[in-house]
Amino acid sequence: MRYLLLILFLALLQTASAQSTHKLHYKAVLVDTHNDVLSSSTLEGKDISHRLTTGHSDLDRWKEGGLDVQFFSIWTDKTPRDKGGLFKDANQEIDSLEILTLRNPSRMTLVTTYKQVKKGIKQKKLVALIGVEGGHMIEDDMAKLDSLARRGMRYMTLTWNNSTSWATSAMDETEHADTLKHKGLTDFGKQIVRRMNELGVIVDLSHVGEQTFYDAIATTSKPVMLSHSSVWNICPVFRNVKDDQIKAVAKNGGVIDINFYSGFLDSTFAKKMAILEGTEGKRIKDSLGQGYDQAKLNQIWNKYFRDQLEPYRPTISKLVDHIDYIVKLVGVDYVGIGSDFDGVSSLPVGLDDVTKYPLITQELKKRGYSDKSIKKILGENVLRVMKANFVK
Ligand SMILES: [Zn+2]
């Protein structure tokens, strides 16, 4: 009888703690600084006003996951989608976000000022902001930077994987170092950073090379953001940030928002993927493909690729290790969430779409984080950086 009472008591305790974690998650302001749903689906005509069974995000599922603020990534490859050019691609994508907002005025609001961010949160709408992922979209033209800022751009990632004439990317600095004409930010690159500060556009340093990173930190007068990057010391890949970079962001008062992609979280997954993408993978692909045409071969290979990586997907605990690492290195004020949902091919087990954000809160709570710290990680740190950058 005594044991039975003890078990009952423990069960009640567990339910109470689950309830308080749930309450904390939905009360906290959750900000995600990177989602690719615009370029991955909306532009192709997918309507995310309705609940979808494919992809990671839509308005219904964001609500369910407790998301308050979303930076929508505006992205186009280094070669434009059509003859109009990269700047036109960016504008077209902003059009698609404006249309989505116009069609759903009671559920979302597209904003440009900090005051509007706070208002939207209070109204319980999804607060949408524009982040442009790659300086190539301004086509080396300061007037186009101004123009995108006027249309609402509130961060610009200085580079994507491709370098620009004024900033080198992490990919180029690490993998094509000997072919680079310059490294880091040129004088024009520094002018761009200073202009972004004036315009209230956050300097986003995800994707940039280390030299560009340090040049930008030395140039900016405002806190920077890394909209979707993880920790190099846990998973040493070119897109992640090293300890000295994390310390530099903390000194600058900026924030690093953890990317959920399995290949940036888990080194075993990353290694396995590198093998499949290398010569060993090519050998396997050739042997699998005998007798098939290219389209069928690609289909077979893609399935094989996914199946091979499946057992290596990290846990949510691994994701929280990245948050933990930054907290232990520099404190709780410099880390946030930058999922990369709808831009990645693999996510931690259980974190299948945007409805699953509460699992992160649960894991943080399990590790003994205070409610105050959890709120900072979920959104307040990014809000601070927004407030320091935005003009109004
Ligand atoms: Zn990216």
Side-chain angles (χ1 to χ4, degrees), residues 274-288:
I275 292 169
L276 289 171
E277 284 174 340
T279 45
E280 171 71 1
K282 197 183 169 321
R283 193 190 59 74
I284 299 167
K285 192 175 177 181
D286 289 344
S287 71
L288 283 172

Side-chain angles (χ1 to χ4, degrees), residues 24 332 364-365 367-377:
L24 167 68
V332 77
L364 287 166
K365 193 87 187 168
R367 292 190 186 198
Y369 275 85
S370 68
D371 289 6
K372 196 175 165 205
S373 294
I374 292 174
K375 282 185 190 163
K376 285 184 174 185
I377 295 164

Side-chain angles (χ1 to χ4, degrees), residues 60-112:
D60 285 355
R61 285 187 283 171
W62 271 314
K63 191 88 197 158
E64 199 178 313
L67 187 72
D68 298 283
V69 180
Q70 180 68 66
F71 273 94
F72 285 81
S73 169
I74 303 297
W75 177 83
T76 194
D77 214 331
K78 57 186 172 193
T79 45
R81 276 191 288 268
D82 62 44
K83 285 193 206 97
L86 302 161
F87 177 69
K88 191 182 167 202
D89 280 357
N91 275 286
Q92 215 170 43
E93 226 165 301
I94 295 173
D95 292 344
S96 77
L97 180 59
E98 284 183 349
I99 293 165
L100 180 73
T101 312
L102 285 170
R103 283 187 180 149
N104 298 279
S106 61
R107 304 167 73 195
M108 67 184 289
T109 173
L110 180 58
V111 309
T112 55

